PDB file of all heavy atoms in Angstrom:
ATOM      1  N   ASP A 110    -107.657  -4.920 -48.794  1.00 98.00           N
ATOM      2  CA  ASP A 110    -106.248  -4.882 -47.978  1.00 98.00           C
ATOM      3  C   ASP A 110    -105.435  -3.704 -48.472  1.00 98.00           C
ATOM      4  O   ASP A 110    -105.215  -3.597 -49.706  1.00 98.00           O
ATOM      5  CB  ASP A 110    -105.534  -6.146 -48.065  1.00 98.00           C
ATOM      6  CG  ASP A 110    -106.467  -7.461 -48.071  1.00 98.00           C
ATOM      7  OD1 ASP A 110    -107.036  -7.710 -49.153  1.00 98.00           O
ATOM      8  OD2 ASP A 110    -106.616  -7.906 -46.994  1.00 98.00           O
ATOM      9  N   THR A 111    -104.945  -2.897 -47.669  1.00 97.00           N
ATOM     10  CA  THR A 111    -104.020  -1.815 -47.958  1.00 97.00           C
ATOM     11  C   THR A 111    -102.610  -2.391 -48.229  1.00 97.00           C
ATOM     12  O   THR A 111    -102.306  -3.482 -47.726  1.00 97.00           O
ATOM     13  CB  THR A 111    -103.963  -0.705 -46.957  1.00 97.00           C
ATOM     14  OG1 THR A 111    -103.436  -1.343 -45.774  1.00 97.00           O
ATOM     15  CG2 THR A 111    -105.323  -0.088 -46.683  1.00 97.00           C
ATOM     16  N   SER A 112    -101.801  -1.619 -48.941  1.00 95.00           N
ATOM     17  CA  SER A 112    -100.364  -2.185 -49.009  1.00 95.00           C
ATOM     18  C   SER A 112     -99.717  -2.275 -47.698  1.00 95.00           C
ATOM     19  O   SER A 112     -98.867  -3.125 -47.479  1.00 95.00           O
ATOM     20  CB  SER A 112     -99.585  -1.255 -49.966  1.00 95.00           C
ATOM     21  OG  SER A 112     -99.805   0.104 -49.675  1.00 95.00           O
ATOM     22  N   GLU A 113    -100.037  -1.444 -46.713  1.00 96.00           N
ATOM     23  CA  GLU A 113     -99.559  -1.650 -45.348  1.00 96.00           C
ATOM     24  C   GLU A 113     -99.971  -2.973 -44.704  1.00 96.00           C
ATOM     25  O   GLU A 113     -99.213  -3.777 -44.275  1.00 96.00           O
ATOM     26  CB  GLU A 113     -99.992  -0.567 -44.302  1.00 96.00           C
ATOM     27  CG  GLU A 113     -99.446   0.881 -44.561  1.00 96.00           C
ATOM     28  CD  GLU A 113    -100.164   1.575 -45.627  1.00 96.00           C
ATOM     29  OE1 GLU A 113    -101.399   1.789 -45.466  1.00 96.00           O
ATOM     30  OE2 GLU A 113     -99.545   2.032 -46.707  1.00 96.00           O
ATOM     31  N   ASP A 114    -101.262  -3.290 -44.914  1.00 95.00           N
ATOM     32  CA  ASP A 114    -101.790  -4.611 -44.365  1.00 95.00           C
ATOM     33  C   ASP A 114    -100.969  -5.734 -44.995  1.00 95.00           C
ATOM     34  O   ASP A 114    -100.489  -6.612 -44.349  1.00 95.00           O
ATOM     35  CB  ASP A 114    -103.198  -4.845 -44.840  1.00 95.00           C
ATOM     36  CG  ASP A 114    -104.223  -3.901 -44.141  1.00 95.00           C
ATOM     37  OD1 ASP A 114    -103.830  -3.252 -43.152  1.00 95.00           O
ATOM     38  OD2 ASP A 114    -105.311  -3.708 -44.707  1.00 95.00           O
ATOM     39  N   LEU A 115    -100.719  -5.676 -46.280  1.00 97.00           N
ATOM     40  CA  LEU A 115    -100.076  -6.710 -47.041  1.00 97.00           C
ATOM     41  C   LEU A 115     -98.657  -6.724 -46.580  1.00 97.00           C
ATOM     42  O   LEU A 115     -98.139  -7.915 -46.468  1.00 97.00           O
ATOM     43  CB  LEU A 115    -100.158  -6.474 -48.608  1.00 97.00           C
ATOM     44  CG  LEU A 115    -101.670  -6.632 -49.114  1.00 97.00           C
ATOM     45  CD1 LEU A 115    -101.650  -6.209 -50.530  1.00 97.00           C
ATOM     46  CD2 LEU A 115    -102.160  -8.049 -48.986  1.00 97.00           C
ATOM     47  N   GLY A 116     -97.892  -5.687 -46.326  1.00 97.00           N
ATOM     48  CA  GLY A 116     -96.741  -5.515 -45.860  1.00 97.00           C
ATOM     49  C   GLY A 116     -96.497  -6.198 -44.627  1.00 97.00           C
ATOM     50  O   GLY A 116     -95.503  -7.071 -44.340  1.00 97.00           O
ATOM     51  N   ILE A 117     -97.479  -6.046 -43.697  1.00 96.00           N
ATOM     52  CA  ILE A 117     -97.379  -6.593 -42.353  1.00 96.00           C
ATOM     53  C   ILE A 117     -97.483  -8.210 -42.570  1.00 96.00           C
ATOM     54  O   ILE A 117     -96.671  -8.874 -41.978  1.00 96.00           O
ATOM     55  CB  ILE A 117     -98.508  -6.030 -41.415  1.00 96.00           C
ATOM     56  CG1 ILE A 117     -98.256  -4.687 -41.118  1.00 96.00           C
ATOM     57  CG2 ILE A 117     -98.673  -6.887 -40.137  1.00 96.00           C
ATOM     58  CD1 ILE A 117     -99.331  -3.899 -40.435  1.00 96.00           C
ATOM     59  N   LYS A 118     -98.402  -8.544 -43.340  1.00 96.00           N
ATOM     60  CA  LYS A 118     -98.490 -10.022 -43.541  1.00 96.00           C
ATOM     61  C   LYS A 118     -97.262 -10.658 -44.085  1.00 96.00           C
ATOM     62  O   LYS A 118     -96.834 -11.749 -43.678  1.00 96.00           O
ATOM     63  CB  LYS A 118     -99.654 -10.313 -44.698  1.00 96.00           C
ATOM     64  CG  LYS A 118    -100.960 -10.359 -44.054  1.00 96.00           C
ATOM     65  CD  LYS A 118    -101.340 -11.664 -43.472  1.00 96.00           C
ATOM     66  CE  LYS A 118    -102.581 -11.596 -42.655  1.00 96.00           C
ATOM     67  NZ  LYS A 118    -102.843 -12.492 -41.605  1.00 96.00           N
ATOM     68  N   LYS A 119     -96.642  -9.999 -44.988  1.00 96.00           N
ATOM     69  CA  LYS A 119     -95.444 -10.466 -45.652  1.00 96.00           C
ATOM     70  C   LYS A 119     -94.280 -10.792 -44.521  1.00 96.00           C
ATOM     71  O   LYS A 119     -93.704 -11.672 -44.499  1.00 96.00           O
ATOM     72  CB  LYS A 119     -94.965  -9.366 -46.655  1.00 96.00           C
ATOM     73  CG  LYS A 119     -94.769  -9.982 -48.062  1.00 96.00           C
ATOM     74  CD  LYS A 119     -94.099  -8.995 -48.982  1.00 96.00           C
ATOM     75  CE  LYS A 119     -94.593  -9.017 -50.292  1.00 96.00           C
ATOM     76  NZ  LYS A 119     -94.179  -7.886 -51.134  1.00 96.00           N
ATOM     77  N   LYS A 120     -94.198  -9.663 -43.714  1.00 97.00           N
ATOM     78  CA  LYS A 120     -93.281  -9.738 -42.693  1.00 97.00           C
ATOM     79  C   LYS A 120     -93.478 -10.861 -41.636  1.00 97.00           C
ATOM     80  O   LYS A 120     -92.616 -11.600 -41.305  1.00 97.00           O
ATOM     81  CB  LYS A 120     -93.290  -8.421 -41.811  1.00 97.00           C
ATOM     82  CG  LYS A 120     -92.555  -7.230 -42.582  1.00 97.00           C
ATOM     83  CD  LYS A 120     -91.530  -6.633 -41.785  1.00 97.00           C
ATOM     84  CE  LYS A 120     -90.787  -5.564 -42.483  1.00 97.00           C
ATOM     85  NZ  LYS A 120     -91.680  -4.369 -42.843  1.00 97.00           N
ATOM     86  N   GLU A 121     -94.820 -10.974 -41.304  1.00 95.00           N
ATOM     87  CA  GLU A 121     -95.181 -12.093 -40.489  1.00 95.00           C
ATOM     88  C   GLU A 121     -94.846 -13.386 -40.997  1.00 95.00           C
ATOM     89  O   GLU A 121     -94.235 -14.252 -40.357  1.00 95.00           O
ATOM     90  CB  GLU A 121     -96.805 -11.954 -40.460  1.00 95.00           C
ATOM     91  CG  GLU A 121     -97.413 -12.371 -39.141  1.00 95.00           C
ATOM     92  CD  GLU A 121     -98.970 -12.211 -39.357  1.00 95.00           C
ATOM     93  OE1 GLU A 121     -99.487 -11.157 -39.356  1.00 95.00           O
ATOM     94  OE2 GLU A 121     -99.647 -13.353 -39.459  1.00 95.00           O
TER      95      GLU A 121
END
Side-chain angles (χ1 to χ4, degrees):
D110 318 85
T111 62
S112 44
E113 288 83 55
D114 294 342
L115 294 171
I117 293 169
K118 275 277 166 203
K119 239 191 215 162
K120 286 230 171 73
E121 213 181 284

